Amino acid sequence: MNAARDRIGSTPRLLVTGGAGFIGSAYVRDVLGRRDGTRITVLDKLTYAGRRANLALAEDDPEQAARLRFVHGDIVDPTVVDPLVAEADAVLNFAAESHVDRSILDPEAFLSTGVIGVHVLLEAVRREADRATSGARSSAPRFLQVSTDEVYGSVHEGWSRESDALAPRSPYSAAKAAGELLAMSYHATYGTDVVITRGSNTYGPYQYPEKLIPLFITNAIDDQPLPLYGDGLQERDWLHVSDHAKAIDHVLHHGDPGEVYNLPGEAQLTNRAVVAAILERLGKPWSLVRTVEDRPGHDRRYALDGTRLAGLGWRNLTDFATGIAETVDWFRDNDAWWREARSGAWDDYYRRQYSARLAASREA
Ligand code: NAD
Ligand code: TYD
């Protein structure tokens, strides 16, 4: 790993927003599990996608629990955010509404968290930087905005580089692009220490079962139909959650201020290929797969160039064949976790998104 200087020190106090979600909780479990003295405050609204149970491994371990604090709250609320940022050496913003299909059904929450929430965090970071300048604290906090490859829009050929124009095409990716642009404007205008990561499609344990991989694994376990949008030949670049979390930490410590870093998965696959890998691991038949009406504005392909991240000394550790097998096995072995996630408001969402599609579906 590259020995570039560590920009936040080896035992920082981190504020992790959205730390009870899929990638945020993987980050918290990973960093606390290193037992290197890092302290973490998680600020999470606990939306349908956020669960305290995702942090149980850390909360049940006395040494890790002593370095973890959980605050239930919303990043749009400055009265909650400001005192937490005042205690932090760095803020990592994972908090977002994260599902494209829900952004098509109900965009509003995406804008509130993705734009106003980012603004509230940035204002608090700016204030703390001013305090550092006046000597009231030792150094200014760093702000890491967790973003996505979806800000580039649909990429028909080649690989997106960080300098490419942003062309988001869903309310989700437009809100993510807005959050990034706001963060970069603080760097340019106020000198705020901002770094941005653009991760590719992520999969692994604890992913809320609305996204392609966990939805199809859990449906297949129950022999329910798997609703494949359109021709199923859309391409995504799949990144294991543990690599996503570790790469974010690498950028936090070593990334240059005002820079954007792509985090590729290096597993460019069609949706059909991903579904085949899931079914093979579960020993379930292809006949479960149903072709359904496509997602409106469906991005055909995402693909990231990872040269800049590699230059920072980062390499992914999990290949797709290993990662998907472990992920399928995790869902098979953690039935109670995903059945709980698929309770309450789940049925309403599922009906809204899939009932008509499945009724009109055909063989895939
Ligand atoms: P997730 O939906 O699993 O988790 C989001 C978390 O944020 C939840 O715990 C939720 O309760 C919390 N949250 C939402 N609104 C909040 C608010 N206003 N205040 C405080 N907490 C709030 O999402 P994820 O898949 O873990 O994604 C995390 C981040 O990574 C997001 O910013 C997403 O855009 C980005 N990302 C995700 C992927 C992916 O494939 N999942 C890929 C690239 C980037
Ligand atoms: P998803 O996991 O929602 O991630 P994103 O849209 O952010 O890439 O979807 C991954 C791919 O799988 C995408 O091309 C849409 C497709 N998909 C289906 O075909 N059926 C589904 O039910 C879902 C949720 C996704």
Side-chain angles (χ1 to χ4, degrees):
M1 209 86 335
N2 127 333
R5 83 181 166 98
D6 191 330
R7 293 183 176 275
I8 58 163
S10 54
T11 56
R13 296 159 306 167
L14 306 179
L15 175 61
V16 177
T17 62
F22 167 48
I23 307 171
S25 69
Y27 179 82
V28 172
R29 292 190 306 272
D30 194 70
V31 170
L32 292 178
R34 291 198 309 242
R35 301 186 193 279
D36 64 2
T38 303
R39 282 167 285 161
I40 293 183
T41 297
V42 168
L43 170 61
D44 200 293
K45 187 179 174 179
L46 297 178
T47 66
Y48 75 94
R51 316 225 346 244
R52 260 323 258 282
N54 296 354
L55 296 168
L57 282 179
E59 290 187 325
D60 293 346
D61 175 312
E63 192 279 332
Q64 293 184 45
R67 292 181 288 116
L68 173 63
R69 179 166 51 135
F70 182 83
V71 177
H72 184 195
D74 194 323
I75 63 165
V76 307
D77 182 353
T79 64
V80 177
V81 164
D82 292 354
L84 299 180
V85 174
E87 296 170 354
D89 298 311
V91 179
L92 293 93
N93 183 31
F94 292 83
E97 291 292 333
S98 66
H99 189 35
V100 172
D101 290 324
R102 289 190 194 251
S103 84
I104 294 168
L105 294 171
D106 289 311
E108 197 176 326
F110 289 74
L111 297 175
S112 164
T113 297
V115 183
I116 307 302
V118 173
H119 164 72
V120 168
L121 292 171
L122 284 166
E123 275 298 295
V125 169
R126 175 161 86 99
R127 209 169 301 119
E128 290 308 306
D130 287 347
R131 288 185 62 234
T133 305
S134 68
R137 58 178 279 166
S138 61
S139 61
R142 163 159 270 205
F143 181 75
L144 186 146
Q145 171 68 3
V146 177
S147 192
T148 165
D149 61 356
E150 302 193 26
V151 296
Y152 294 114
S154 195
V155 181
H156 292 278
E157 55 187 24
W159 285 266
S160 303
R161 300 185 76 106
E162 289 86 347
S163 53
D164 288 355
L166 304 189
R169 302 176 69 253
S170 73
Y172 163 67
S173 52
K176 294 300 294 184
E180 276 195 25
L181 293 174
L182 200 54
M184 276 309 181
S185 80
Y186 273 62
H187 175 71
T189 307
Y190 308 112
T192 308
D193 180 5
V194 167
V195 273
I196 291 174
T197 58
R198 293 188 185 139
S200 60
N201 277 69
T202 304
Y203 70 101
Y206 298 95
Q207 185 167 28
Y208 190 80
E210 63 191 353
K211 308 276 166 58
L212 176 75
I213 288 182
L215 178 72
F216 278 30
I217 295 172
T218 54
N219 275 13
I221 288 172
D222 280 351
D223 298 310
Q224 292 299 307
L226 313 184
L228 188 67
Y229 296 155
D231 64 8
L233 295 175
Q234 303 83 4
E235 285 179 38
R236 299 291 185 264
D237 173 19
W238 292 96
L239 172 63
H240 191 270
V241 66
S242 140
D243 280 332
H244 195 159
K246 287 184 167 67
I248 285 172
D249 198 59
H250 193 72
V251 171
L252 176 73
H253 285 272
H254 302 294
D256 291 328
E259 274 304 356
V260 178
Y261 294 89
N262 286 343
L263 313 182
E266 298 152 63
Q268 191 81 30
L269 293 166
T270 64
N271 293 341
R272 280 180 181 266
V274 170
V275 177
I278 292 170
L279 292 172
E280 190 190 344
R281 183 74 184 175
L282 285 171
K284 298 281 184 177
W286 181 262
S287 56
L288 286 175
V289 185
R290 304 291 301 172
T291 292
V292 300
E293 185 195 337
D294 210 348
R295 170 188 282 173
H298 196 166
D299 287 340
R300 192 71 180 166
R301 177 174 178 268
Y302 303 131
L304 288 180
D305 178 295
T307 309
R308 186 176 284 170
L309 181 69
L312 213 55
W314 172 252
R315 300 281 178 280
N316 287 337
L317 303 172
T318 307
D319 64 80
F320 185 76
T322 309
I324 195 69
E326 285 175 4
T327 302
V328 168
D329 294 354
W330 187 88
F331 278 92
R332 202 171 40 199
D333 297 343
N334 288 275
D335 192 80
W337 183 90
W338 63 261
R339 289 197 191 280
E340 168 71 25
R342 289 178 62 145
S343 63
W346 171 265
D347 285 346
D348 280 346
Y349 164 71
Y350 199 82
R351 254 195 304 277
R352 240 177 122 191
Q353 183 62 21
Y354 295 110
S355 277
R357 281 191 165 89
L358 283 169
S361 68
R362 55 184 200 283
E363 232 175 78

